[in-house]
Each structure stands twice: as structure tokens, then as C-alpha cells.
Amino acid sequence: MKSLIYLDHAATTPACPAAIAAVAEALALVGNPSSVHAGGRAANALLERSRDAVARFAGVAPENVIFTSGGTEAIALAMNGARMVGARPRALAGATEHSAVLQGRADVALLPVDADGLIDMAALDAALGAETLRGPALVAIQHGNNETGVIQPLGEVAARVHAAGGLLLADCVQSAGKLLLPDADFIALSAHKLGGPPGVGALIVREPDTLVAIQRGGGQERGHRGGTPNLPGIAGLAAAVAEPHDWAAVATRRAALEARLKAAGAIIHGEAAPRLPHISSIGLPGTAASTQVMRLDLAGFMVSAGAACSSGKVKASHVLAAMGLGPAAGEAIRVSLSGSTTDTELDSFAAAWKRMAGERMAGERMAGERVAGRT
């Protein structure tokens, strides 16, 4: 039976043993955290211990942590629940943001990026400068891009946003646990990118008074998010954020892989910018991303063509298109690693990718020879 090698950890990474154990232990509890009897008190104690763990990870007080169903809900809560002087601020976002941001509100104004995928600071300043006419802004920027791994200079972004009287929402779904969390008004986290279970995340809120609930129906999460909390998932998230990882070793493996593929004709998108240690956007000119994903899948390698949020559809990357890549935006795959990815697995992948690239070039030569023969 053909072995399968998983290289799509940016989509979801396997739950770590500590998270699995924490989920199982929480499932064994009987009691709603909102109940006042002994079972409810035990469940609430676990909820608050988990909140304390996530707060320590984020470097904030426990009251700054709001549990959600994942990164998408955390982003939606911030984008739609943020309030400044009692009103919802206008929304600005980078053109390479995740669809959770781009579709989070119908009125999001996009900020361009340069060829490396970095936010155009002059455009940001111009958009923020419209405050006197249109009011303050909530600016949503990824810490690290989910397709290219490009790291945005959020320290500089935050300074500009705050100087203009705005709020910063940092999508840290990919960067959390790999980089120090930035100085932002809102930070979105997702457990299943960190080795926790799917279906749970958190929004870190610097000033809880700047947020109103968009999901009502109960007073849970200090009134910011109605609904019975997913206690097993929350316990799994708390366990996952406490696990150590050697991301420097992952970055070394990623760099070695990219060097081998570039020597065989690959294009690494965003490589001139600082990047997260585990993500590579690899272009193969002349071959559609969907073809690459399917051929590699048949060879036993699980990769993607970008965010795993389009119901299994493979389309040209809006991230790469925003970086000005034109048709090449539809010719790239994403390979993403974890601490458990081995050199042997990457050796096998490099060999498979080179075979795929070699077959494409052989096909082009044959087509050229046929054309030459007819002329």
C-alpha cells in the first residue's frame, strides 16, 4: 500500500497527545460551566484554568481572552463587534488577507501589497488619513500569511494605526506559537493550527469595552459570546499552547527543500520577505495548481493550493494575484511542515516534485518538436 506523506500542516495539523488527553478528560466531566451545582462548578473551574493557560500564552490577563469556535469566528467578532466612541469603525484590510477577513464585512476596503506581499505603508497612511472625513478605522492584517508565510511588520503597522486613532486586528492563526504575538487591539487564534482540536479558538481583546457581542442568547464569555462553551475543545487548546516546538529546525528543513526545488526550476513566492518557518509557496510555471495537487496526491503527498476554506475547490490564489503574479497565481502549491516532518519525507517529496517538473518539460520539448516538424 502506498505510503502517504502529510505536508498540509497550515490547513490543520494533527492534535498533540497532550491536547487529545485534555479533550478526553474534559469529555468525562458532567456539568455545564454555567450551572451552580458541584458538576457545574468543576466544569467552570476547568474553563477558567484553560483561560488562564491561554492568557499566559498570550501575555494578557484572563479577562482579555474570549473563547470562540475558531479563528474565523474570532475575526468576525472583532470585525463586526469592535466599537469606537459607540460606533462601528470602518474596516481596512490587506489584499492578501484570509477570506475570513475579506468576507467578514461587506464594506472592507483593501490595502495593496508589494511584490513581496508586504503591506504598502503609503497606502495604509493614505487610508488612515481619511479619518477626519470618514471616522476611525479597524485595520485587519495577518501576522503571517497562510499561503506564502510572509510576515507583516505589525509593530510598524500598529504604530501607524494607533497614531491615527484606529484599532488593529491581527490574524495570528498561522503565526501563534511560531512568533511572539504582536501588540494589537484584537488577536485571533485557532486551536487546530497549534496542535489542538478543530472547532475552537480565541479572540484576545486588549480592552474588552471596545467590543460588543454579535452572537447573543446568553451571558457566557462575560457577555461577549453567547452559547455553551466547547469545554473539551477549550481544554485541548489550553494544552496545545503549552507544548514546545523547535521551529528553527523546521525553518532549516524548509530552506533545504526550497533550495533543491529552485535548482529544478521552482519559483518560491515571497522568499525575499521574512516568512513563517513552516510555509512554502512553490510555483511550477506552465502547470496549473490543481494539476500539481492531484498529481502529487496520486504519488502519495498531501499538499494544497492555498487556504483550505473553499469547499475543496482549487482556484487561482488571490494572495499571489495581489502580489502581481498574473497567470502564475494559478500555478503554485503550498507545502507546509510541522515539527514532526522528517528529512526523509522531504527527500521523497523533492524527488516527486522533480519528476513532475521533468515530465512537464519533456512534454514541452515534444510539443516543440512536433511544431518544428510541421514547419
Side-chain angles (χ1 to χ4, degrees), residues 128-375:
L128 291 171
E131 176 187 355
T132 54
L133 299 176
R134 299 164 53 198
L138 172 71
V139 181
I141 303 291
Q142 279 178 323
H143 196 189
N145 188 265
N146 56 294
E147 292 190 26
T148 62
V150 168
I151 299 170
Q152 298 291 347
L154 285 195
E156 183 179 354
V157 171
R160 293 168 185 248
V161 170
H162 292 149
L167 298 172
L168 175 62
L169 164 59
D171 173 1
C172 295
V173 166
Q174 291 293 342
S175 64
K178 304 168 185 72
L179 303 175
L180 291 176
L181 294 179
D183 178 21
D185 301 282
F186 304 100
I187 294 174
L189 306 176
S190 181
H192 74 112
K193 313 292 189 179
L194 288 159
V200 64
L203 180 67
I204 310 300
V205 184
R206 175 191 289 182
E207 298 290 342
D209 290 344
T210 62
L211 190 72
V212 299
I214 62 173
Q215 178 173 308
R216 302 184 184 277
Q220 293 89 347
E221 294 304 292
R222 295 176 173 84
H224 285 109
R225 197 249 189 191
T228 301
N230 173 9
L231 187 57
I234 289 168
L237 167 60
V241 298
E243 291 294 288
H245 298 278
D246 185 358
W247 291 109
V250 174
T252 298
R253 289 191 178 94
R254 194 267 309 270
L257 172 66
E258 290 179 347
R260 294 171 68 178
L261 299 186
K262 285 174 64 178
I267 298 173
I268 307 301
H269 301 300
E271 68 172 331
R275 288 182 294 151
L276 296 174
H278 66 305
I279 294 176
S280 288
S281 177
I282 302 166
L284 178 57
T287 304
S290 57
T291 299
Q292 296 181 57
V293 170
M294 288 186 287
R295 293 190 65 175
L296 289 166
D297 187 54
L298 290 172
F301 301 92
M302 291 175 274
V303 302
S304 71
C309 300
S310 302
S311 300
K313 299 176 183 177
V314 177
K315 299 180 289 187
S317 166
H318 77 277
V319 171
L320 301 183
M323 292 166 63
L325 293 175
E331 299 172 347
I333 60 172
R334 180 185 67 185
V335 170
S336 48
L337 319 181
S338 78
S340 63
T341 304
T342 67
D343 290 329
T344 299
E345 289 174 331
L346 295 181
D347 289 345
S348 298
F349 172 78
W353 192 93
K354 289 178 181 180
R355 285 195 298 272
M356 180 174 66
E359 290 166 2
R360 178 191 63 80
M361 289 185 284
E364 288 182 351
R365 285 195 299 271
M366 291 177 63
E369 290 169 359
R370 284 196 295 269
V371 171
R374 286 196 296 270
T375 57

Side-chain angles (χ1 to χ4, degrees), residues 93-131:
T96 56
E97 296 302 303
H98 191 279
S99 59
V101 167
L102 300 181
Q103 299 175 26
R105 277 173 54 173
D107 60 344
V108 178
L110 297 186
L111 302 168
V113 298
D114 64 19
D116 295 321
L118 296 170
I119 287 291
D120 183 326
M121 292 295 180
L124 172 62
D125 287 341
L128 291 171
E131 176 187 355

Side-chain angles (χ1 to χ4, degrees), residues 7-60:
L7 297 174
D8 199 18
H9 292 273
T12 193
T13 199
C16 64
I20 294 171
V23 169
E25 291 174 12
L27 284 170
L29 288 178
V30 177
N32 188 311
S34 297
S35 298
V36 297
H37 52 59
R41 294 196 302 274
N44 186 68
L46 175 58
L47 175 66
E48 295 310 322
R49 287 198 303 273
S50 299
R51 194 186 310 278
D52 290 344
V54 175
R56 285 193 299 272
F57 170 76
V60 299

